[in-house]
Amino acid sequence: MTELPLALTSVLDLTLHRAGPTCARQLADWGAQVIKIELPGSDDTPDFMDRHSPDFQNLHRNKRSMTLNLKHPEGLDIFKQLARQADVIVAASEAIADEARALEPAGAVATILNGADFDDFAGLEYHRGDRFRITHTGSFFGKRDPRPFLTALSESGLEDVVARFVGDFRVADREWAESLGLGDRLELHPYVPRRRSLALQRDSDALLLLIPEAGGRGRGVLSGKVFEYLAAERPILAAVPPDGAAADLIRETGAGVVAAADDVGALTAALSELHAKWRAGELNGTPLSADDRERLGRAARVEELAEVLRRLA
């Protein structure tokens, strides 16, 4: 049997969601020994699948998985031993990559972001309505929590704002929202086909992005939803760690406003700021520059994978 070209290569997979795991899977398909590092008690699967689904299993085929608590000395020591033996560590963001480099691994550390599919929004349009529509699409897996934002909406006093949640919405959160008396300021939509989800994003006055602090783990997260929202080119209310990777990207691209996910006062202020611009007719789209579209698009992820292969050559 012919030996696969990367049979003597070891890889640590610190990626999330779609593009990064796909690239790491490609290395595994070529024979590399890929170990996917997972955090205890976490659920980092994408919005549209669970870890036992065929899609998840296909995304991570030919890999091994190891759960490590990197905040515990024993878990960190095991990771350091793995890092000393790995030929390459693939990370989901520069923040995660920097943490890996600080451990002085023997091999290279590469970043493969998720990336945006701008063509997916072709033919979809924004139409201004008589109410300010802010939309969240996807599931509330892991520690994602809509309650601080819902509280901010209630306390804002803005009666012409409607928050639209498309996808999963937990029963406990529904009951919480009912206790706030939001009435028709809250719309809950079931899961819809992807094209419909993208249409709702494009036809929104703003988009709600939720990434929890999660004991510091959220700072390095650049989920696929971040890039999907950027491709929608509508203003983003980013309820994310203010000193994290997602916040940095939102600020760099000028795509929206940032507030800590659990800071009701900051969320109220951010929502009021967007609403005031909308009322004044000044809340325009957030088209990215040509340079940003190039560096954040999927094609750039192919080049990142190619760079990993060049390092292994």
Side-chain angles (χ1 to χ4, degrees):
M1 180 177 178
T2 303
E3 189 175 70
L4 293 171
L6 297 182
L8 302 179
T9 302
S10 60
V11 178
L12 291 185
D13 181 4
L14 305 181
T15 63
L16 299 170
H17 306 293
R18 178 58 68 178
T22 299
C23 291
R25 180 194 67 192
Q26 189 64 59
L27 300 176
D29 288 348
W30 288 332
Q33 304 302 306
V34 178
I35 300 177
K36 171 179 165 57
I37 302 298
E38 301 188 62
L39 300 175
S42 70
D43 184 358
D44 60 9
T45 60
D47 292 359
F48 50 84
M49 61 176 163
D50 65 70
R51 66 184 306 103
H52 302 294
S53 70
D55 195 12
F56 183 90
Q57 296 297 316
N58 179 55
L59 189 62
H60 298 291
R61 68 172 182 251
N62 292 329
K63 302 178 187 179
R64 290 180 290 171
S65 177
M66 180 178 293
T67 299
L68 290 177
N69 184 352
L70 300 182
K71 294 186 178 296
H72 190 282
E74 185 176 355
L76 185 59
D77 185 60
I78 293 173
F79 181 81
K80 288 180 178 178
Q81 294 180 48
L82 292 170
R84 294 189 191 107
Q85 300 170 19
D87 295 294
V88 65
I89 298 175
V90 184
S93 70
E94 274 302 310
I96 295 174
D98 286 342
E99 291 183 19
R101 293 187 186 102
L103 300 177
E104 300 181 349
V109 179
T111 300
I112 297 181
L113 303 176
N114 272 290
D117 292 311
F118 297 99
D119 290 344
D120 285 356
F121 287 88
L124 302 179
E125 298 181 354
Y126 164 73
H127 303 279
R128 180 186 169 97
D130 57 3
R131 303 183 75 187
F132 178 88
R133 300 155 299 166
I134 182 166
T135 303
H136 176 279
T137 62
S139 300
F140 288 98
F141 63 91
K143 296 183 179 298
R144 284 165 173 75
D145 183 5
R147 296 187 184 190
F149 171 77
L150 293 173
T151 303
L153 174 59
S154 176
E155 294 182 358
S156 71
L158 301 173
E159 296 296 331
D160 58 349
V161 172
V162 56
R164 306 189 297 187
F165 289 87
V166 182
D168 183 35
F169 201 81
R170 295 174 295 226
V171 173
D173 294 328
R174 187 191 301 264
E175 294 173 348
W176 174 270
E178 290 174 355
S179 73
L180 295 175
L182 293 174
D184 65 357
R185 288 190 289 168
L186 179 66
E187 289 184 6
L188 302 180
H189 299 258
Y191 284 110
V192 297
R194 175 169 168 75
R195 184 66 174 175
R196 176 58 179 160
S197 174
L198 298 180
L200 287 168
Q201 291 177 42
R202 175 59 62 81
D203 194 22
S204 293
D205 300 293
L207 300 171
L208 176 63
L209 175 66
L210 295 176
I211 298 178
E213 179 71 29
R217 297 203 305 261
R219 295 172 191 164
V221 172
L222 274 176
S223 65
K225 190 61 63 180
V226 176
F227 293 91
E228 186 172 274
Y229 280 4
L230 288 172
E233 298 186 324
R234 299 302 306 160
I236 299 170
L237 196 169
V240 303
D243 57 348
D248 289 344
L249 184 56
I250 297 300
R251 294 189 186 105
E252 288 170 10
T253 56
V257 295
V258 174
D262 59 354
D263 188 335
V264 173
L267 290 169
T268 303
L271 178 61
S272 298
E273 176 184 339
L274 292 172
H275 177 267
K277 290 182 178 179
W278 172 78
R279 291 284 293 176
E282 299 173 354
L283 191 64
N284 301 315
T286 54
L288 301 183
S289 68
D291 287 344
D292 282 341
R293 289 174 71 93
E294 181 176 355
R295 74 182 177 95
L296 298 175
R298 292 287 191 188
R301 313 290 74 83
V302 178
E303 178 54 35
E304 288 168 349
L305 175 59
E307 178 58 27
V308 170
L309 294 173
R310 283 191 286 268
R311 294 182 185 185
L312 293 174

